[in-house]
């Protein structure tokens, strides 16, 4: 591990992605032609478990360091470790901005924004909308602000990309008084969808500007329907629970199930939150693991059922999103499962043959960029997502504004 080469006027950007059990970082350097190049990334995983660990990589993705804790360590200690690691790599006065991924912008924010005391106060009010993620991100921002008072920090919202959804797509069939309080469908994974849709423009204009579905299939999973590169509908709604079956989240659920669990199973709100966010999905159905790789290896019938349900829900939601777009021209797979599991991609495409998806099996096996047959009415793609780069780009854009704010 060595300090980054810096030269006068070169700008650097850090991205911190604070998840419910991880704290990841990336450092980007701006090149002469204003591109952003990753210099190092990594982070702490397993937060809240007995064995959190840190791992870091250089610009060639070679592992450069790792560190293990043998007991549950507090978030404050882990965060201090991460900040000191970044400081060793890059002196803080070289940082032009730190960008954060924020889950929920509610009805208040639909664009990346500079952190100010007023913004922070508003973001605290949004904690109930994302109780597992939002408080952790705010702790990171507060800690950095206390350590470096002049530091430019920006937040990018996972909900922003869906601001173009028609009003009718945002509505629940609830009384207007509740809609007015912000009980709307927002949609998430917006930074991933924004990045992928921008990349698609460099690759295939027809796919980028037509009727496109992006399937972000990671441990959290959602799908977005776009027309002309703009989101018109998504599978997630008010919270990041709706839609697809995920690693540990249930996805679409009849609200009657919640009533039943409250009224007849004696569950309280906290227990429901744990059940729906952490004990359901692939983990809950299989009783084995939240990880597709483990389920693929397992002979247990419940593992097979969990994978079948995952694929079934992707297929059902594709039908719904294609209806919202009035047809389909392109389908994109991204995120951990979408990028790496040829089996899941093949199963999804096979069940979507009726909609015009014809998979080139060899290209799929090889994980190529375009995986549809030339004759396929719907083109099919694998595009790696890069939410951190999207955040760094917003940071680079907004940091000029930040400099203007400085005394
Ligand atoms: P997140 O960023 O939401 O934590 P990722 O996009 O990194 O999630 O996806 C993580 C998931 O991707 C893992 O839980 C695992 O199920 C799946 N995954 C990763 N690699 C593979 C693989 N080679 N084959 C199948 N699934 C994979």
């Amino acid at each position: 591990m060595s300090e980054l080469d810096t030269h006068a006027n070169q700008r650097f950007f850090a991205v911190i992605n604070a998840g419910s059990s991880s704290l990841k970082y990336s450092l980007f350097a701006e090149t002469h032609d204003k591109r952003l190049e990753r210099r190092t990334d990594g982070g702490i995983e397993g937060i809240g478990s007995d064995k959190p660990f840190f791992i870091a990589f250089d610009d060639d993705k070679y592992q450069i360091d790792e560190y293990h804790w043998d007991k549950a360590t507090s978030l404050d200690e882990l965060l201090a470790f991460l900040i000191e690691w970044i400081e060793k790599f890059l002196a803080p006065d070289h940082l032009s901005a730190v960008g954060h991924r924020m889950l929920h912008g509610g009805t208040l924010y639909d664009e990346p924004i500079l952190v100010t005391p007023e913004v922070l106060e508003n973001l605290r009010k949004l904690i109930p909308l994302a109780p597992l993620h939002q408080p952790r991100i705010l702790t990171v921002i507060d800690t950095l602000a206390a350590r470096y008072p002049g530091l430019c920090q920006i937040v990018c919202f996972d909900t922003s990309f869906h601001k173009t959804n028609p009003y009718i797509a945002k509505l629940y069939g609830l009384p207007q008084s509740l809609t007015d309080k912000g009980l709307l469908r927002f949609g998430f994974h917006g930074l991933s969808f924004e990045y992928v849709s921008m990349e698609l423009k460099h690759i295939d204009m027809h796919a980028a500007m037509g009727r496109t579905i992006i399937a972000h299939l990671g441990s959290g999973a959602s799908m977005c329907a776009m027309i002309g590169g703009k989101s018109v509908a998504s599978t997630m709604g008010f919270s990041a629970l709706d839609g697809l079956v995920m690693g540990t989240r249930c996805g679409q659920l009849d609200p009657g199930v919640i009533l039943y669990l409250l009224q007849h199973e004696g569950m309280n709100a906290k227990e429901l939150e744990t059940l729906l966010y952490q004990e359901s999905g692939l983990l809950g159905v299989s009783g084995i693991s939240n990880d597709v790789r483990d389920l693929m290896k397992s002979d247990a019938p419940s593992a097979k059922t969990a994978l079948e349900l995952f694929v079934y829900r992707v297929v059902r939601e594709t039908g719904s999103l294609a209806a919202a777009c009035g047809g389909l021209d392109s389908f994109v797979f991204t995120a951990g499962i979408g990028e790496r599991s040829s089996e899941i991609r093949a199963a999804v495409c096979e069940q979507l043959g009726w909609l015009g998806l014809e998979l080139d099996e060899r290209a799929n096996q090889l994980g190529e960029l375009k995986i549809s047959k030339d004759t396929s009415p719907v083109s099919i793609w694998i595009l790696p997502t890069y939410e951190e780069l999207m955040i760094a780009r917003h940071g680079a854009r907004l940091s000029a504004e930040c400099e203007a704010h400085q005394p």
Side-chain angles (χ1 to χ4, degrees):
M1 201 274 298
S2 62
E3 205 173 302
L4 284 183
D5 273 348
T6 52
H7 57 76
N9 300 329
Q10 184 166 26
R11 303 204 304 159
F12 290 88
F13 300 92
V15 172
I16 298 198
N17 189 347
S20 52
S21 66
S22 64
L23 201 50
K24 297 186 189 155
Y25 83 96
S26 307
L27 282 184
F28 293 90
E30 195 175 61
T31 60
H32 294 299
D33 55 354
K34 301 281 177 209
R35 281 178 305 106
L36 292 170
E37 282 179 349
R38 183 179 54 79
R39 290 294 156 85
T40 167
D41 65 8
I44 300 166
E45 298 191 36
I47 298 176
S49 76
D50 280 346
K51 293 186 175 158
F53 65 95
F54 170 78
I55 190 159
F57 303 91
D58 70 5
D59 52 349
D60 285 326
K61 271 287 174 192
Y62 284 113
Q63 187 180 319
I64 47 175
D65 208 350
E66 69 176 273
Y67 193 86
H68 293 261
W69 290 269
D70 57 6
K71 61 174 172 58
T73 314
S74 76
L75 178 64
D76 287 347
E77 284 173 78
L78 296 174
L79 184 54
F81 174 92
L82 190 73
I83 292 173
E84 277 159 31
W85 162 265
I86 295 175
E87 280 174 357
K88 275 189 253 171
F89 229 101
L90 183 75
D93 53 355
H94 280 293
L95 260 186
S96 294
V98 178
H100 302 269
R101 175 180 175 194
M102 185 68 77
L103 203 69
H104 220 305
T107 51
L108 283 174
Y109 299 114
D110 63 8
E111 287 287 347
I113 188 165
L114 288 181
V115 174
T116 64
E118 187 198 344
V119 167
L120 272 181
E121 204 181 309
N122 285 333
L123 292 177
R124 287 188 219 290
K125 291 185 197 145
L126 296 176
I127 287 176
L129 299 185
L132 297 187
H133 294 84
Q134 214 102 328
R136 180 154 295 172
I137 303 165
L138 289 167
T139 303
V140 176
I141 295 175
D142 287 338
T143 307
L144 285 172
R147 199 163 171 126
Y148 316 118
L151 180 67
C152 171
Q153 298 199 66
I154 65 145
V155 281
C156 301
F157 301 95
D158 252 337
T159 45
S160 301
F161 189 67
H162 305 292
K163 67 180 174 193
T164 47
N165 284 193
Y167 181 61
I168 209 75
K170 295 182 184 170
L171 270 188
Y172 286 115
L174 288 170
Q176 183 68 40
S177 55
L178 291 175
T179 304
D180 292 343
K181 286 187 175 165
L183 284 161
L184 291 158
R185 297 183 64 89
F186 291 95
F188 297 87
H189 290 128
L191 291 156
S192 172
F193 295 133
E194 184 181 9
Y195 177 79
V196 171
S197 71
M198 284 175 82
E199 284 301 289
L200 211 49
K201 284 190 186 135
H202 299 299
I203 293 163
D204 186 293
M205 240 4 204
H206 181 66
M209 300 317 287
R211 298 162 299 178
T212 307
I213 289 176
I214 304 175
H216 176 110
L217 309 179
S219 47
S222 77
M223 293 161 71
C224 171
M226 305 188 307
I227 300 178
K230 295 199 175 352
S231 171
V232 294
S234 81
T235 57
M236 278 181 173
F238 176 73
S239 74
L241 277 177
D242 202 1
L244 305 177
V245 166
M246 297 171 236
T248 59
R249 285 173 254 167
C250 59
Q252 185 267 331
L253 188 74
D254 178 348
V257 172
I258 312 275
L259 294 177
Y260 179 86
L261 294 173
L262 282 170
Q263 291 165 350
H264 301 288
E265 290 290 324
M267 291 185 88
N268 61 36
K270 195 72 205 154
E271 288 164 341
L272 273 174
E273 184 180 283
T274 305
L275 173 77
L276 302 178
Y277 277 99
Q278 285 158 3
E279 298 172 351
S280 298
L282 296 175
L283 175 66
V285 175
S286 69
I288 295 171
S289 171
N290 61 346
D291 192 313
V292 165
R293 288 165 292 194
D294 297 335
L295 301 180
M296 291 278 184
K297 276 187 250 153
S298 169
D299 292 331
S302 64
K304 190 164 177 280
T305 305
L307 292 172
E308 274 177 19
L309 179 62
F310 181 83
V311 171
Y312 175 79
R313 293 287 313 132
V314 172
V315 170
R316 282 278 302 262
E317 291 289 350
T318 301
S320 164
L321 293 177
C325 287
L328 192 63
D329 301 307
S330 310
F331 189 100
V332 185
F333 288 98
T334 194
I337 304 166
E339 291 167 28
R340 295 191 204 105
S341 176
S342 56
E343 293 94 338
I344 296 283
R345 290 193 301 264
V348 167
C349 292
E350 192 192 341
Q351 293 183 41
L352 288 173
W354 62 273
L355 191 56
L357 279 80
E358 291 176 13
L359 188 69
D360 176 335
E361 270 152 38
R362 190 166 174 277
N364 182 44
Q365 280 298 330
L366 294 172
E368 288 179 357
L369 174 64
K370 188 171 187 187
I371 56 169
S372 46
K373 288 184 181 155
D374 290 342
T375 51
S376 180
V378 174
S379 63
I380 315 170
W381 307 84
I382 306 172
L383 268 172
T385 192
Y386 203 171
E387 288 149 305
E388 287 78 12
L389 179 56
M390 202 62 243
I391 296 170
R393 285 179 185 163
H394 287 304
R397 189 172 51 79
L398 283 175
S399 62
E401 212 179 293
C402 197
E403 281 149 23
H405 272 70
Q406 304 235 315

